[in-house]
Amino acid sequence: MMQDKRTQAAVDAGHPEWAELPATKHAARVLRAEGWPIGMPKQFFTGLPCREGHISPKARSDSRCIECQRIYTAKNAERIKAYFQANIDKHRVQDRRRRKKNRATIRVVERRWDEANKSKVRLYAAQRRALEANAALPWLTDEHLSEIEAIYSERARLTEETGLSTTSIIASRSSTPTCAVFTFPGISKS
């Protein structure tokens, strides 16, 4: 079966998934009106090179080549950072508005991330609970956090394999930082 030029350009660029994007800005507008699929990048792919010669998708919002945008951002990183720092309040307001407007979509994306990163979610929740209880542990280093994340990952693996629920992971403050996992065989998820 003969592939069209656009699909072949995507495959040659090493990104066959680009062929799934709309082919033109007009097609992207039509798809947007119908409801943009959650998780699909807001881009379109023509298969034609940009004026700089990049074979890359283009942003739906302004039709700029994604590769050109990446290069521009890398070259002007300091200037962009300074701009955002100078206008942080303005961007916080815009972000709040965007999150409020796209609440459902953002929730779906966040839930997908949570499902893919369960041990990190548990680690962040434990850190948040410790901060809320005003029990920040000054001796807790990044190495300790990595160990705790590994313990939570192991806990999830064991729970899935055995069906037994582990209910607590406790970090104690002492001269030697320690963590303990308590398993209660009679207690399981309901």
Side-chain angles (χ1 to χ4, degrees):
M1 183 175 157
M2 181 69 179
Q3 293 180 328
D4 64 5
K5 290 180 182 180
R6 184 175 160 275
T7 304
Q8 189 59 48
V11 171
D12 291 347
H15 293 279
E17 68 276 9
W18 289 350
E20 302 298 319
L21 295 171
T24 64
K25 187 167 185 172
H26 176 72
R29 283 188 190 131
V30 170
L31 187 59
R32 181 181 181 196
E34 293 170 357
W36 198 267
I38 292 175
M40 179 184 273
K42 294 190 166 97
Q43 302 167 353
F44 63 96
F45 180 69
T46 63
L48 301 173
C50 71
R51 66 181 178 195
E52 299 296 326
H54 305 125
I55 304 286
S56 177
K58 295 177 179 3
R60 187 183 78 189
S61 60
D62 59 8
S63 301
R64 289 194 310 171
C65 167
I66 299 297
E67 185 63 18
C68 289
Q69 286 181 348
R70 188 191 65 73
I71 292 168
Y72 174 84
T73 302
K75 280 183 183 176
N76 298 292
E78 289 300 316
R79 201 178 102 227
I80 292 168
K81 184 178 178 180
Y83 170 79
F84 277 97
Q85 286 175 343
N87 297 289
I88 194 162
D89 292 333
K90 173 183 169 182
H91 290 286
R92 282 185 180 148
V93 169
Q94 286 175 345
D95 190 49
R96 270 190 229 113
R97 246 187 250 136
R98 180 188 59 82
R99 289 185 68 81
K100 187 176 181 181
K101 181 181 175 185
N102 301 306
R103 187 175 292 155
T105 302
I106 290 170
R107 233 182 244 144
V108 168
V109 171
E110 287 174 347
R111 284 188 183 136
R112 283 184 188 164
W113 188 91
D114 289 351
E115 281 296 313
N117 299 284
K118 287 183 179 181
S119 60
K120 285 184 181 180
V121 169
R122 289 184 185 108
L123 172 64
Y124 298 153
Q127 287 175 318
R128 187 178 61 250
R129 283 191 306 270
L131 288 172
E132 285 173 356
N134 201 14
L137 308 174
W139 51 263
L140 204 59
T141 65
D142 288 340
E143 185 178 313
H144 293 123
L145 293 175
S146 296
E147 290 174 15
I148 292 170
E149 185 178 354
I151 290 170
Y152 275 109
S153 295
E154 179 67 8
R155 175 186 118 165
R157 186 188 66 77
L158 290 172
T159 299
E160 195 164 309
E161 281 182 11
T162 64
L164 300 176
S165 172
T166 56
T167 57
S168 302
I169 294 183
I170 299 172
S172 73
R173 182 186 291 203
S174 64
S175 58
T176 308
T178 57
C179 292
V181 178
F182 296 97
T183 305
F184 301 97
I187 302 173
S188 63
K189 284 196 242 180
S190 37

